[in-house]
Amino acid sequence: MRPLADGPYLADGLRLPTNGLDYAILAIYFAVVLGIGFAARASVRTSLDFFLSGRSLPAWVTGLAFVAANLGATEILGMAATGAQYGVAVVHWYWVGAIPAMVFLGLVMMPFYYGSKVRSVPEFLLQRFDKPAHLLSSGLFAFAAVLIAGVNLYALSIVVEALLGWPQWVSIVVAGFFVLAYITVGGLSSAIYNEVLQFFVILAALIPLTVLGLKRVGGWDGLTGSLERSHGPDFLSAWGGTGIGDANPLGANWLTIVLGLGFVLSFGYWTTNFAEVQRALSAKNLSAAKRTPLIAAFPKIFIVFVVMIPGLVAAVLVPRIGTAGSDLTYNDAVPLLMRELLPNGVLGIAVTGLLAAFMAGMAANVSSFNTVVTADIWAKYVVKDRDDSYYLRFGRLVTVLGVLASIGTAFLAASFSNIMGYLQTLFSFFNVPMFVVFIIGMFWKRASVKSGFWGLIAGTVAAMVNYFVVYKHGLIAMPTDQGANFVSAIVGFAAGAVVMVAVTLFTAPKPEAELAGLVYGTTSPGMEEAPSEGDDAWYRRPALLGWGAVLLAAVCYLPYSF
């Protein structure tokens, strides 16, 4: 087994040995993506078409777009980095950190979202609570969306720099404007249909990298044998060393994994992140909307293998990666393997796959950003009651502003060795507080109108204080950034919940008549929609799909738990 050349960081020397065939594959992909964008333009006649595809898409399209929107460059580079850094523990982000929440979204929350006919997640808070909660959540989400889109831009710049040798800032600016073209022209339909294409292109890139990586290290047995000798047995166990007080690579115990990642961070992301929920809201009916995250759950279960294994292979072949004194960060795992393992042609597909992943992740955030800024902020608080064509034009303008802002935030991500750790930090700050407000407001009728706003404030501030003050200043020892993120999520959730209960005790609840279709146990006309023809087939039943995904994820844990 030959180790990879342990050279400098990408910016200083890692160049992919591309040739004309690789560039031809890349050019064909770019042409197809732009073609889809211009083809989708014909269907954009109203603001609803631009922001939610006219609520017209079938479940299989929205389901694949749902998983592709999450399978961005940050997912690929970040989760491979997490595998190289923490080992098999990366499976937690999928089997406990995604599947249960995706199922909960489909079975429990989508009837409220879709039935209430809201255009966005923050708009649901307007109906359930009041304008301050709505405006605050809209602002927090818009800010988080451009930060996350910026992470995707930075991740792409790593790859483009390796491919072409361009400076990072050139890669970021050029790539940002390319994505801007097809989103501005075709709206959400363009983003979604491109995400379906990108899903298959991404897999075409990752599967060869995984197979050839395993071959280089002597198969699965060779990989695990090498890692056990160099990193210890807990590196290859999902739950090994996670007892309270025990040491493990992740720096988290089973309680913080289950509560911090599996409940608070996971449910906060998958059930309230509009970049994901928007795909389900674009479905053609309630049945398709409910099935969107459930269909997405099945590929999500298995995607972990094609992002985790390259990270593990990199930990074997590049033992200095991420270590003190090394120029290589964990984010370099995938580009390093691409350079060393892939022949020309396949290399072009791999580079195209990473570009596709970047575009899927960024498009998801930019398309949700333009919806929230236009529909939730501008149309409700700044310029009201204009004709629909005005908001369609403004939505396209906001798309431009969102991409420009993302270019600026891309440079923030460059300071993090593991971009997935940076993303988890953002989720603990922004998604977790929104989740606690949603879950309490959706399941407790008594939650008062004012409690939503103060719950958001308390949860956001508490999570930030825990991370920047308690963790960064060493007031309480937390072994890793990821472990600190899990604790921040728990602290933010608890603070938001306590404040919501306290505020509710002293302020007035919303009249019960205004809660129809917004609180569990109530219904609205939109929630009583009968399934369309064919949607009542046994294999399309949401309960079967949801519980089947949960059971399959639990079974997948078994080989990594003993």
Side-chain angles (χ1 to χ4, degrees):
M1 182 176 64
R2 181 170 62 89
L4 297 182
D6 195 3
Y9 182 65
L10 290 171
D12 297 324
L14 177 56
R15 296 291 178 263
L16 301 180
T18 52
N19 64 13
L21 177 60
D22 301 312
Y23 285 102
I25 293 171
L26 198 57
I28 292 170
Y29 173 74
F30 282 164
V32 171
V33 165
L34 286 177
I36 290 174
F38 282 97
R41 181 182 177 87
S43 65
V44 179
R45 299 181 180 88
T46 68
S47 63
L48 185 65
D49 294 333
F50 186 77
F51 296 125
L52 286 179
S53 300
R55 298 187 194 272
S56 63
L57 302 180
W60 73 269
V61 170
T62 55
L64 290 180
F66 189 97
V67 70
N70 175 254
L71 189 59
T74 52
E75 174 90 356
I76 295 172
L77 296 184
M79 281 304 179
T82 302
Q85 186 172 4
Y86 301 123
V88 169
V90 72
V91 300
H92 293 310
W93 273 267
Y94 293 79
W95 300 337
V96 75
I99 303 305
M102 294 168 74
V103 171
F104 184 81
L105 172 64
L107 297 183
V108 178
M109 296 187 72
M110 279 316 302
F112 294 99
Y113 282 143
Y114 199 90
S116 62
K117 299 302 179 185
V118 296
R119 288 195 174 195
S120 70
V121 168
E123 188 177 350
F124 185 88
L125 290 186
L126 175 63
Q127 295 189 14
R128 175 59 183 89
F129 294 102
D130 58 4
K131 288 184 177 180
H134 171 247
L135 186 57
L136 177 61
S137 64
S138 299
L140 289 175
F141 177 81
F143 182 60
V146 296
L147 287 175
I148 296 169
V151 178
N152 278 278
L153 271 174
Y154 167 65
L156 177 74
S157 74
I158 295 176
V159 179
V160 173
E161 190 174 34
L163 171 65
L164 302 175
W166 295 358
Q168 271 191 6
W169 71 270
V170 174
S171 306
I172 289 171
V173 171
V174 171
F177 278 102
F178 181 84
V179 172
L180 173 65
Y182 81 82
I183 301 178
T184 306
V185 169
L188 183 63
S189 293
S190 173
I192 285 179
Y193 280 111
N194 267 307
E195 284 161 2
V196 173
L197 168 67
Q198 289 155 357
F199 173 76
F200 293 104
V201 174
I202 291 165
L203 291 184
L206 291 178
I207 290 172
L209 192 67
T210 302
V211 171
L212 293 174
L214 281 174
K215 183 178 179 181
R216 172 67 70 87
V217 296
W220 181 253
D221 290 339
L223 175 64
T224 54
S226 297
L227 289 173
E228 187 165 356
R229 288 191 296 272
S230 60
H231 292 75
D234 287 345
F235 200 75
L236 297 169
S237 170
W239 297 103
T242 60
I244 296 177
D246 293 345
N248 63 77
L250 187 58
N253 58 54
W254 67 267
L255 184 62
T256 57
I257 292 172
V258 172
L259 291 183
L261 174 62
F263 177 58
V264 182
L265 275 172
S266 171
F267 278 67
Y269 175 80
W270 291 104
T271 66
T272 67
N273 182 16
F274 185 44
E276 297 292 337
V277 175
Q278 188 179 27
R279 273 79 196 134
L281 288 178
S282 68
K284 64 181 181 179
N285 54 36
L286 177 58
S287 174
K290 291 166 67 175
R291 284 183 282 123
T292 293
L294 306 179
I295 291 171
F298 287 92
K300 183 70 176 176
I301 291 171
F302 298 104
I303 283 171
V304 63
F305 295 110
V306 292
V307 293
M308 174 183 72
I309 291 175
L312 298 179
V313 170
V316 171
L317 298 181
V318 195
R320 289 182 56 236
I321 191 169
T323 59
S326 173
D327 293 328
L328 294 167
T329 72
Y330 293 112
N331 293 329
D332 296 328
V334 167
L336 277 168
L337 295 186
M338 286 171 55
R339 182 191 69 173
E340 194 73 13
L341 301 178
L342 299 183
N344 291 112
V346 179
L347 181 61
I349 295 173
V351 172
T352 302
L354 286 182
L355 294 178
F358 146 74
M359 288 188 288
M362 184 180 179
N365 283 283
V366 170
S367 60
S368 58
F369 170 83
N370 64 25
T371 304
V372 168
V373 172
T374 304
D376 288 284
I377 298 176
W378 193 259
K380 283 189 168 62
Y381 300 102
V382 184
V383 178
K384 306 177 184 179
D385 303 322
R386 292 289 298 272
D387 60 277
D388 188 72
S389 60
Y390 169 82
Y391 295 113
L392 176 57
R393 292 193 303 271
F394 186 80
R396 287 193 162 112
L397 173 62
V398 168
T399 303
V400 176
L401 297 178
V403 171
L404 292 177
S406 301
I407 289 172
T409 61
F411 296 98
L412 294 176
S415 62
F416 286 77
S417 174
N418 184 334
I419 52 179
M420 187 52 66
Y422 174 52
L423 275 182
Q424 295 294 316
T425 303
L426 295 179
F427 295 154
S428 69
F429 292 169
F430 299 112
N431 290 94
V432 167
M434 199 172 296
F435 171 62
V436 68
V437 173
F438 265 88
I439 205 70
I440 290 179
M442 195 173 281
F443 287 90
W444 189 29
K445 289 182 181 179
R446 177 66 180 83
S448 71
V449 171
K450 299 299 180 185
S451 66
F453 174 81
W454 292 108
L456 279 172
I457 290 286
T460 303
V461 171
M464 289 182 173
V465 167
N466 180 79
Y467 189 84
F468 290 117
V469 178
V470 177
Y471 168 57
K472 288 297 187 181
H473 286 80
L475 300 183
I476 296 178
M478 301 178 203
T480 64
D481 286 351
Q482 291 288 15
N485 288 332
F486 297 164
V487 175
S488 294
I490 295 171
V491 169
F493 183 90
V498 168
V499 168
M500 285 190 72
V501 172
V503 171
T504 294
L505 296 178
F506 297 98
T507 55
K510 199 161 193 170
E512 190 164 335
E514 298 178 18
L515 296 177
L518 301 174
V519 179
Y520 194 77
T522 68
T523 59
S524 67
M527 299 172 67
E528 298 171 353
E529 177 184 319
S532 300
E533 184 179 354
D535 284 349
D536 55 354
W538 68 268
Y539 57 87
R540 292 184 177 181
R541 293 175 183 172
L544 176 65
L545 292 171
W547 288 109
V550 170
L551 179 62
L552 184 58
V555 169
C556 286
Y557 259 122
L558 295 179
Y560 304 99
S561 300
F562 302 101

